[in-house]
Amino acid sequence: MSVSRRTVLATAAGATALCASPAPAAAAGTTAGHTPAPTLRKLRAAADYAVEKVGAVAPNVTAFPVGTKFEKWAYSQNGDWVGGFWPGTLWMAWLYSEDDAFRTQAMASARKLAPRQDDTGTHDLGFLFYPSWVTAWRLTGDEAWRTGALRAADSLIQRYNPRGRFIRAWGALNNPKNAGRVIIDTMMNLDLLAFASRQTGDGRYLDIAVEHARTTRRVFPRPDGSTPHVYDFDPDSGTPVGPDTVQGYSPTSCWSRGQAWGLYGFTTMYRRTGNRDFLTTARALADYAIGVLTPDHVPVWDYRAPQQPHDIKDASAGAITACGLLDLSAATGGQAYRDVALRLLTALAQTCLTKNSARAEAVVARCTRNRPAEDGVEISLPYADYYLLEGILRVLRPQDVDRAIDLSTV
């Protein structure tokens, strides 16, 4: 698609304007500033389309969408690492539409993740259980959801390496392969631990999350605010080894979705702890991403790949970045981050929806799962749909998003 190949790199002008001293954090559910009426109309239209699409597809979804093949969802029975996003999308659709069919479908889907509560073989328990079970508890009050989410947190903290002060990303606990591997994505799994500490009064969950975030802050961000996908440690001594990548172009590149995970994750950790070092890091990651956005505001899959800015797009990175920027805008009380987030969401709404295809089962197109492996290039991905709806509802219905995922700041 020609719109995927822009020839002019966006300048970093204006990025320095985002570096002013942060204002006091905004209260939960508030917005940081004005949204132009034309933008609101475009976002409402996109939300209407998304909810209509999800409503049409949901009755035939029997497992967990992981990505599309020929515009139809392919499924995982156990959810892989993305299982939380389908019930999360259904919850967002319910909040927007108030159609109880979505509520029923969200709970039915989330229940299928129950066996994963005891899965100690993955760091992705936050992705699995926060948008599904934590949200279900917050919206229904049913203690079973809370209990299951806490059990998942118990499984996640078993992956903590106290010598290196990090949560191991991949591999079974008894498998030495990848035992020292840390990835930027894990920042998004830490909020499950913050939730567990708030609910139980046991500070060890949040302590582990904070230590992991401090380690990530120390070794991942480069001086310009970009990040690698992977950082390796010696698992026995905890000694840093160095950066690497799996999803990105190289250890010295900047995988756009990873940058988005980091931006969103550090902002969340600032909200949960009040630690301004985390806010500073979130701002550095945001400023880098903003400075390298192409004029169409749809991120390339890797900000430092040789073919950028003409390269393959990843709309999912745009949706996640938009949510992180809206969160950061509320945390700092500033409009500038919000303005970029609105441009990102508008760009996705105008150029990345599946409106032109009668076959499509997803909402968002032009996503890339794993470019180096040629796995899922310019397809649809479940987290793109989820974060698009979350981002739009952050603008249109912030109090509802707060009900679902907790936008409060300590």
Side-chain angles (χ1 to χ4, degrees):
M1 291 180 288
S2 60
V3 75
S4 302
R5 311 288 192 268
R6 294 290 185 179
T7 59
V8 182
L9 183 63
T11 69
T16 55
L18 301 175
C19 298
S21 297
T30 64
T31 56
H34 173 67
T35 305
T39 300
L40 290 174
R41 287 195 294 271
K42 292 169 185 174
L43 297 185
R44 287 192 189 101
D48 289 342
Y49 173 75
V51 170
E52 181 181 6
K53 175 66 73 174
V54 172
V57 172
N60 297 316
V61 172
T62 57
F64 298 100
V66 296
T68 54
K69 293 182 179 179
F70 304 108
E71 301 183 283
K72 302 295 185 182
W73 284 123
Y75 296 101
S76 165
Q77 292 300 316
N78 76 349
D80 196 70
W81 73 270
V82 301
F85 293 118
W86 178 248
T89 298
L90 293 165
W91 281 122
M92 292 294 151
W94 177 67
L95 288 172
Y96 183 75
S97 68
E98 300 180 353
D99 181 343
D100 281 343
F102 289 122
R103 184 179 188 274
T104 300
Q105 292 159 346
M107 290 190 289
S109 177
R111 289 188 189 101
K112 295 176 182 178
L113 289 172
R116 302 296 299 277
Q117 297 170 35
D118 301 315
D119 186 351
T120 62
T122 178
H123 72 123
D124 285 315
L125 291 163
F127 282 130
L128 288 168
F129 283 91
Y130 205 102
S132 56
W133 286 55
V134 173
T135 293
W137 175 72
R138 289 182 60 82
L139 294 178
T140 70
D142 185 337
E143 284 295 311
W145 299 114
R146 174 183 176 274
T147 300
L150 294 176
R151 189 163 177 171
D154 284 332
S155 296
L156 179 56
I157 61 174
Q158 294 184 51
R159 300 186 65 77
Y160 181 65
N161 182 319
R163 294 174 296 279
R165 298 184 178 182
F166 61 80
I167 294 172
R168 172 183 178 173
W170 296 323
L173 295 179
N174 60 358
N175 186 346
K177 184 179 179 181
N178 292 324
R181 178 144 284 196
V182 179
I183 64 175
I184 192 69
D185 318 38
T186 306
M187 288 301 304
M188 290 292 290
N189 290 307
L190 302 183
D191 204 20
L192 179 67
L193 301 182
F195 168 80
S197 277
R198 290 195 307 275
Q199 292 300 310
T200 64
D202 186 342
R204 65 191 171 123
Y205 301 99
L206 184 59
D207 288 346
I208 286 173
V210 167
E211 289 302 319
H212 179 90
R214 285 174 172 162
T215 298
T216 303
R217 179 180 185 271
R218 188 177 73 251
V219 302
F220 274 81
R222 305 182 182 108
D224 65 357
S226 65
T227 58
H229 176 211
V230 171
Y231 202 98
D232 288 317
F233 293 81
D234 182 299
D236 297 320
S237 67
T239 303
V241 174
D244 205 338
T245 197
V246 174
Q247 302 270 123
Y249 177 79
S250 76
T252 59
S253 71
C254 184
W255 176 48
S256 61
R257 191 161 70 245
Q259 189 79 2
W261 294 139
L263 156 61
Y264 195 155
F266 274 109
T267 305
T268 301
M269 283 301 293
Y270 165 70
R271 289 197 293 104
R272 300 304 182 218
T273 65
N275 185 326
R276 298 188 77 80
D277 287 342
F278 297 153
L279 182 64
T280 298
T281 302
R283 297 187 77 150
L285 269 59
D287 293 345
Y288 177 83
I290 291 167
V292 294
L293 275 177
T294 46
D296 64 355
H297 279 78
V298 182
V300 294
W301 73 277
D302 190 303
Y303 292 128
R304 286 183 166 179
Q307 290 182 315
Q308 64 80 29
H310 323 297
D311 212 338
I312 296 292
K313 297 290 187 175
D314 182 8
S316 75
I320 299 157
T321 300
C323 290
L325 289 173
L326 289 169
D327 213 15
L328 189 55
S329 174
T332 60
Q335 179 72 24
Y337 289 124
R338 180 180 175 83
D339 288 343
V340 179
L342 293 174
R343 291 198 291 272
L344 283 162
L345 291 173
T346 302
L348 298 178
Q350 292 183 306
T351 68
C352 296
L353 300 187
T354 57
K355 287 183 176 181
N356 293 331
S357 173
R359 286 179 47 85
E361 291 184 341
V363 175
V364 181
R366 302 176 67 197
C367 301
T368 298
R369 182 163 48 205
N370 188 335
R371 180 77 168 96
E374 293 294 328
D375 172 26
V377 176
E378 293 207 349
I379 62 169
S380 295
L381 294 166
Y383 34 95
D385 288 8
Y386 172 79
Y387 287 108
L388 177 70
L389 268 176
E390 181 192 304
I392 291 174
L393 265 65
R394 279 177 175 267
V395 177
L396 302 181
R397 307 268 188 88
Q399 289 80 10
D400 284 336
V401 176
D402 179 44
R403 288 171 56 207
I405 64 174
D406 185 8
L407 301 181
S408 64
T409 299
V410 297

